[in-house]
Amino acid sequence: MVAVPPERHLVRGRDLADRRYADPELTVAHMAAAAGLSRAHFTREFRRVFGETPRGYLLTRRMERAAALLRHTDHAVADICLEVGLRSVGSFTSTFTRHHGCSPTAYRAAAPPAQVYARIPACVVRVHGRPRHRTFGEDSADAPA
């Protein structure tokens, strides 16, 4: 039987944080359970291998995603706070400011608005993004031969 390096267990916990970072219920205990280690041992080993605590890693992951949402969407700051798994806008703002050196609003103002990235008008996206009824065969009559 081949021994599994201990770091492989830690990667399972880190992968869980990457997959479920938006879940506000995700805790270090869940990450430790995914790794199959006790919470204290998981925290100690995670810090030794990855250089930061599991909670710090999860928070950094959330702030990275929030920064991407601020750059590429028009969602409100409060909505982004909830989308990344945080519940308090005040805590989100202070944490974001600590990570990025400016408030979420200032960060968004420094980046170009999301409309700059749109290559086609929004009305065209809506028209082609609507679901079509394909159960009655009327679409095949419109199709060019």
Side-chain angles (χ1 to χ4, degrees), residues 16-31 58 62:
L16 180 68
D18 288 340
R19 277 193 319 269
R20 291 185 38 202
Y21 69 89
D23 182 0
E25 303 297 326
L26 182 63
T27 62
V28 174
H30 292 118
M31 294 167 64
L58 181 60
R62 287 175 171 163

Side-chain angles (χ1 to χ4, degrees), residues 13-73:
R14 189 182 68 178
D15 288 347
L16 180 68
D18 288 340
R19 277 193 319 269
R20 291 185 38 202
Y21 69 89
D23 182 0
E25 303 297 326
L26 182 63
T27 62
V28 174
H30 292 118
M31 294 167 64
L37 302 172
S38 72
R39 183 178 166 186
H41 185 66
F42 176 75
T43 300
R44 229 180 1 259
E45 289 300 307
F46 194 95
R47 185 178 199 143
R48 183 184 64 79
V49 171
F50 297 116
E52 63 183 330
T53 63
R55 186 177 184 285
Y57 178 81
L58 181 60
L59 199 55
T60 300
R61 181 77 178 99
R62 287 175 171 163
M63 291 302 111
E64 288 171 351
R65 182 65 184 145
L69 289 171
L70 286 167
R71 283 191 313 267
H72 300 293
T73 68

Side-chain angles (χ1 to χ4, degrees), residues 101-126:
C102 60
S103 69
T105 305
Y107 186 85
R108 172 174 276 167
Q115 291 90 5
V116 170
Y117 297 111
R119 296 182 187 264
I120 53 176
C123 60
V124 174
V125 172
R126 280 194 301 271

